[in-house]
Amino acid sequence: MQIQTHPLISPAPGTQRELISIHYGQPAGERIGQKAYIQASLHADELPGMLVAHHLRKKLDVLQAAGRITGEVILVPMANPIGLSQQMLYMHMGRFETTTGENFNRHYPDQIEATAQAAESQLSQDADHNTRVLRRELKKAVAAAPVDTELQSLRRTLMSLSCDADIVLDLHCDAQAVMHLYTETPCWPECEVLARFIRSRVTLLAQESGDSPFDEACSQTWWKWAKRFEGQFPIKQACLSVTVELRGAADVEHALAEADAQNIIDFLIYRGLISGDKPALPEAVGDARPLAGSMPIKAPVAGALTFLREPGETVTAGDVLAHVIDPISNAVTELKSPVDGLFFARDFVRFAPAGMRVGKVAGLQALRTGKLLGA
Ligand SMILES: [Zn+2]
């Protein structure tokens, strides 16, 4: 096991933050084995992933000592040192950088065309060869991309660690939710296996949902190159990249995190990055649905919010999910599900300003258009 320190651009004289990555197994290079990259708490106030990383590290230490890690596994247990320091009036604000207002999980840089141009003369009819060439050129392009700010240097560091991985897991959480995943549609055949191991209730699929979140920045390179070189060179979808939503923000418990870490290890054994008896593929406990069918439940008026239904319940169109109560008029506004679906996530705040999105129901039909992710 090797620990690497990556200094970020200093935001002010006398201060400097750094990102720490922990490396197991065989360093990639022109590797034969696969590479997995796992990061936690890119939204710095989402802590379940950090506890999963703690348990993953204990398990990976044991596996490394036993010589069982045959691929490369990079673990970044705290992916956002900037957001970790953003405490305001005793509240942790880890989703947006307070300097720019930018979401830490958006605007990942795109080196797709630069890489394609650098790689083109080296590509052949051998898809595996093309994967190696594109990974090598992508890594160079990511490292060479100029950055001006601390936030940009964080994004570049995360991309340089992950961009050539076969498997990328970005560990997040919702406010109050059941286990669910986000991935790009071309990743679904491989993600379906992960969904079973991690016991995901729903996987939300989109292809380029907008504003380049981290997981899509890692996976979109491959299907975009496949399109660009269609009819010329074969390009595989060489990266399974997934945002793993580890239930709700307060679900930071050893029992859950230990089980989640073991499920991830079992998935890595199943995929062949760790040697040992291949675990049986678990039964699916959920399915995949279009992200464009994940319908927000909005409060049209302000008031005290109380939920009538729990995350994980199957609901039908018209079911009342919550009440917004105006204690001055004593009016009760019913918030209804617009579709049949899985009520998979809801907020934890209990005062709703007018217009607030208080929950999400995953339906089967793609009904929304435009940018599909929330703020
Ligand atoms: Zn998040």
Side-chain angles (χ1 to χ4, degrees):
M1 189 267 279
Q2 187 208 353
I3 296 179
Q4 288 183 14
T5 300
H6 312 271
L8 305 183
I9 285 180
S10 165
T15 71
Q16 179 144 47
R17 294 189 183 88
E18 53 193 25
L19 185 90
I20 307 295
S21 57
I22 303 169
H23 299 245
Y24 292 93
Q26 316 298 320
E30 290 291 309
R31 66 185 181 274
I32 301 164
Q34 297 176 71
K35 169 176 172 178
Y37 171 86
I38 304 169
Q39 70 177 23
S41 304
L42 178 57
H43 287 140
D45 50 1
E46 298 175 1
L47 276 297
M50 226 181 268
L51 190 61
V52 169
H54 165 71
H55 286 280
L56 269 175
R57 191 168 170 180
K58 291 202 284 186
K59 292 172 189 295
L60 289 168
D61 285 342
V62 172
L63 292 163
Q64 175 97 325
R68 288 183 55 193
I69 303 179
T70 52
E72 181 185 25
V73 180
I74 299 179
L75 180 62
V76 175
M78 298 198 314
N80 185 355
I82 304 170
L84 277 176
S85 68
Q86 292 184 167
Q87 303 276 342
M88 193 175 290
L89 304 173
Y90 302 104
M91 294 287 284
H92 194 177
M93 309 182 104
R95 186 174 183 84
F96 303 95
E97 196 210 31
T98 51
T99 304
T100 60
E102 286 185 9
N103 186 322
F104 286 109
N105 190 23
R106 301 287 187 273
H107 314 301
Y108 279 80
D110 169 355
Q111 309 300 338
I112 294 169
E113 185 51 31
T115 303
Q117 287 179 19
E120 191 156 11
S121 66
Q122 308 166 59
L123 298 176
S124 74
Q125 295 311 309
D126 177 347
D128 292 330
H129 165 81
N130 295 343
T131 297
R132 287 192 292 275
V133 168
L134 286 162
R135 280 185 177 148
R136 188 172 62 229
E137 294 300 336
L138 177 62
K139 222 169 156 55
K140 278 195 242 170
V142 168
V147 291
D148 298 323
T149 68
E150 187 184 33
L151 175 56
Q152 289 170 5
S153 71
L154 173 66
R155 289 183 181 132
R156 185 174 69 181
T157 304
L158 298 175
M159 287 307 297
S160 66
L161 286 164
S162 60
C163 69
D164 60 344
D166 300 86
I167 297 167
V168 172
L169 304 182
D170 189 12
L171 307 182
H172 288 248
C173 68
D174 211 296
Q176 294 181 327
V178 290
M179 178 76 82
H180 60 286
L181 308 176
Y182 293 88
T183 196
E184 287 199 294
T185 311
C187 292
W188 173 241
E190 286 186 278
C191 183
E192 201 264 340
V193 176
L194 173 71
R196 289 183 184 221
F197 275 102
I198 201 99
R199 315 290 194 262
S200 170
R201 292 288 307 280
V202 63
T203 299
L204 297 159
L205 301 178
Q207 199 157 349
E208 209 164 22
S209 61
D211 287 340
S212 199
F214 176 80
D215 78 276
E216 294 187 12
C218 294
S219 53
Q220 68 172 357
T221 47
W222 298 100
W223 60 262
K224 286 190 174 175
W225 286 326
K227 218 180 241 179
R228 188 186 188 283
F229 293 118
E230 199 172 3
Q232 288 180 274
F233 305 112
I235 311 291
K236 287 182 184 172
Q237 179 62 40
C239 177
L240 164 64
S241 183
V242 184
T243 294
V244 179
E245 300 282 348
L246 296 163
R247 309 177 192 84
D251 294 324
V252 186
E253 293 173 18
H254 279 303
L256 290 173
E258 197 280 331
D260 293 339
Q262 188 58 49
N263 290 338
I264 290 171
I265 295 287
D266 287 346
F267 171 68
L268 295 179
I269 296 172
Y270 188 89
R271 284 288 305 251
L273 280 81
I274 297 170
S275 67
D277 293 338
K278 199 171 175 177
L281 191 58
E283 287 294 315
V285 296
D287 56 14
R289 300 182 181 202
L291 178 57
S294 169
M295 305 306 290
I297 310 303
K298 276 190 202 169
V301 294
L305 176 66
T306 188
F307 285 99
L308 281 64
R309 306 293 291 266
E310 296 294 317
E313 286 191 52
T314 299
V315 298
T316 51
D319 280 359
V320 179
L321 305 183
H323 286 161
V324 180
I325 293 160
D326 175 347
I328 305 297
S329 66
N330 232 13
V332 176
T333 303
E334 295 180 327
L335 306 188
K336 295 177 182 173
S337 178
V339 293
D340 296 353
L342 179 71
F343 182 37
F344 69 98
R346 67 186 195 189
D347 212 307
F348 51 54
V349 303
R350 291 296 179 265
F351 178 76
M356 179 186 169
R357 295 169 169 215
V358 307
K360 291 174 274 192
V361 174
L364 291 166
Q365 309 299 326
L367 299 174
R368 295 188 297 135
T369 54
K371 288 183 183 178
L372 294 174
L373 295 172

